[in-house]
Amino acid sequence: MQLPVDICVFLLSLVAPAVLYTMNNVIKQPVMVLTLGAAVLYIIPYVMSFLVLHLLALQHWENIDPLFYVLAVFSFTCLVGLTNALEQDGYISGYMGFYLKKGEPHLSAAYAVMMNYWEGVLHFLLFLIIIHRMFRGKSYRSLALFWAGSSIAHQIVFIPGVVIGKYGSNIHPAFWRNTPFLLLPIWGAILLFSRERELPIIPADKIAVAQERSLLYRPVDLILSLLLLGAMAFSVFRGVVALDCPLDTCFTYIYQYEPYLKDPVVFPRITMLVYLFYALPLLAAFIYGLRNPGCTWMLDWAIFFAGAIAQTQWCHIGGSLHSRTPFTYRVPTDKWSTVMILNGLYVAVPILLAIRCRLSPTFFMPTVPEGQTSPEKKDN
């Protein structure tokens, strides 16, 4: 009996907690933590993907997308992260104690716990859905781009945060296992962006009509543009706050609204710098794409960006509220609603933009050459 591929991946991933429990109660040397950690996180799921999945599910498949093997390995590590998050919050015990002590102590930080929840729940479900669609011949480009944006964003915050934050003086060899978690999503994003974009078939005259309307006559795009401008301003403001701007407004904000930006784990500060130097230019590019017709790149980049902001904001908001964050760095009770609204809007804008691009791509389709929709052209 041939099992569905997504079911096989799900069943294989369930092995992760058992392996972690064994490692936690057997390994006693930091070098062995790195060695067996690499085996658990890469070699074991990779070999299992090749042998077991090919035997059970892939024996009749040809030309398998190489992205499948990355997702299969990452689905295994998702449950490793979820196990850590559950143990840090006291729901289980005996799985991660020694690894946290001699492998990656930074995984006990509130930011890392929220990151593990994101991976263990949302990424894991994404992987199963993508694999299911992959082997049913259905499109999975948008879901994969969302994952790629999410994974790349959290690694460019997480890795520098560990190195320069309070855990920088306590880095063990096992930390370097995170390198593939940065490189493989980058490779996956390059692979996805290099493939031919899947464009819907829309009549040329409909495209021409949609692209002739200015921004003022497209209320949804106008509102999105204003929201993007607001997100740009918020990115700049929190970026300069993270850079220790001496202005009274910045001083008031960091002490009375988001003291989490001063947390010595440095993850929130780096997040703000990522927004300033990477999100800000993309927000400006999206405003350009909403104003000028034919920006087909918007269809992919809006989804990629939505994944990046959703992940980083989840970790940032969750970390600022989590019990593992010292009380002095959590959001003050009297400013809770204001901070949540601002952060909620910041994550909502890219998601709304991605939905707009996905549901109504006509304005972003390639510009129709002049005269192509004329009656003479139609008659021909």
Side-chain angles (χ1 to χ4, degrees):
M1 178 179 179
Q2 185 179 2
L3 295 177
V5 183
D6 49 324
I7 299 300
C8 289
V9 172
F10 173 76
L11 294 176
L12 291 174
S13 301
L14 296 180
V15 179
V19 176
L20 284 176
Y21 188 85
T22 303
M23 287 178 59
N24 185 65
N25 292 278
V26 174
I27 304 173
K28 299 301 179 183
Q29 296 296 328
V31 176
M32 288 297 293
V33 173
L34 173 61
T35 303
L36 292 183
V40 170
L41 296 177
Y42 306 120
I43 299 175
I44 291 177
Y46 192 71
V47 171
M48 293 169 73
S49 298
F50 263 109
L51 297 181
V52 181
L53 294 182
H54 271 280
L55 290 174
L56 295 179
L58 304 183
Q59 50 188 338
H60 301 299
W61 292 98
E62 297 180 357
N63 301 322
I64 299 172
D65 190 335
L67 190 61
F68 160 73
Y69 295 104
V70 174
L71 301 183
V73 172
F74 276 27
S75 65
F76 189 87
T77 61
C78 280
L79 290 195
V80 174
L82 182 59
T83 302
N84 174 65
L86 292 174
E87 180 158 334
Q88 296 309 306
D89 282 344
Y91 296 109
I92 58 177
S93 62
Y95 290 86
M96 299 291 296
F98 183 77
Y99 185 79
L100 289 177
K101 183 178 179 181
K102 297 296 184 180
E104 296 189 78
H106 47 268
L107 290 179
S108 62
Y111 184 95
V113 172
M114 299 307 298
M115 178 187 74
N116 287 155
Y117 277 124
W118 182 270
E119 290 181 341
V121 178
L122 190 134
H123 276 185
F124 187 61
L125 292 177
L126 267 180
F127 294 155
L128 295 180
I129 294 172
I130 292 172
I131 291 172
H132 177 82
R133 296 183 67 85
M134 185 181 292
F135 290 94
R136 294 295 184 277
K138 299 179 180 180
S139 175
Y140 53 88
R141 182 191 185 94
S142 297
L143 293 173
L145 282 171
F146 188 92
W147 159 76
S150 172
S151 294
I152 293 172
H154 100 246
Q155 288 298 335
I156 63 176
V157 172
F158 180 69
I159 293 177
V162 173
V163 174
I164 67 177
K166 76 173 187 178
Y167 295 101
S169 60
N170 194 25
I171 293 179
H172 299 287
F175 166 71
W176 302 109
R177 74 166 184 83
N178 290 288
T179 303
F181 288 102
L182 173 63
L183 299 180
L184 288 175
I186 291 176
W187 169 81
I190 294 173
L191 184 68
L192 291 166
F193 279 117
S194 63
R195 292 175 179 174
E196 185 176 355
R197 186 177 290 107
E198 302 166 357
L199 297 176
I201 300 175
I202 302 176
D205 54 347
K206 186 176 180 180
I207 295 176
V209 170
Q211 295 181 348
E212 287 175 357
R213 299 168 61 191
S214 68
L215 186 61
L216 294 176
Y217 294 95
R218 288 180 283 122
V220 172
D221 291 348
L222 179 60
I223 293 173
L224 279 173
S225 298
L226 295 175
L227 290 174
L228 289 169
L229 283 173
M232 290 178 65
F234 197 44
S235 298
V236 172
F237 176 69
R238 289 204 294 183
V240 297
V241 168
L243 292 171
D244 295 325
C245 173
L247 295 177
D248 291 341
T249 304
C250 297
F251 182 86
T252 300
Y253 185 81
I254 199 170
Y255 280 95
Q256 297 186 17
Y257 288 86
E258 287 200 73
Y260 185 51
L261 297 178
K262 301 191 286 92
D263 193 328
V265 296
V266 184
F267 296 125
R269 188 178 295 252
I270 292 180
T271 300
M272 297 306 110
L273 295 181
V274 168
Y275 290 163
L276 179 62
F277 294 112
Y278 295 98
L280 183 63
L282 279 173
L283 290 168
F286 292 145
I287 294 175
Y288 174 87
L290 288 173
R291 186 179 182 276
N292 297 275
C295 295
T296 313
W297 52 268
M298 287 275 290
L299 302 178
D300 285 344
W301 278 98
I303 296 173
F304 179 87
F305 185 72
I309 297 299
Q311 196 281 335
T312 50
Q313 280 293 98
W314 164 265
C315 293
H316 179 72
I317 297 172
S320 66
L321 302 174
H322 200 276
S323 59
R324 300 191 70 85
T325 298
F327 182 79
T328 54
Y329 298 122
R330 296 181 210 168
V331 177
T333 305
D334 59 333
K335 299 296 191 300
W336 188 90
S337 58
T338 302
V339 174
M340 291 301 105
I341 290 173
L342 290 174
N343 279 280
L345 286 173
Y346 193 82
V347 69
V349 173
I351 293 176
L352 291 174
L353 176 65
I355 294 174
R356 182 263 180 271
C357 293
R358 179 72 178 175
L359 296 181
S360 182
T362 306
F363 184 78
F364 309 109
M365 300 295 286
T367 305
V368 179
E370 186 176 355
Q372 184 170 327
T373 59
S374 64
E376 294 80 6
K377 188 72 176 180
K378 289 183 179 179
D379 292 338
N380 293 333

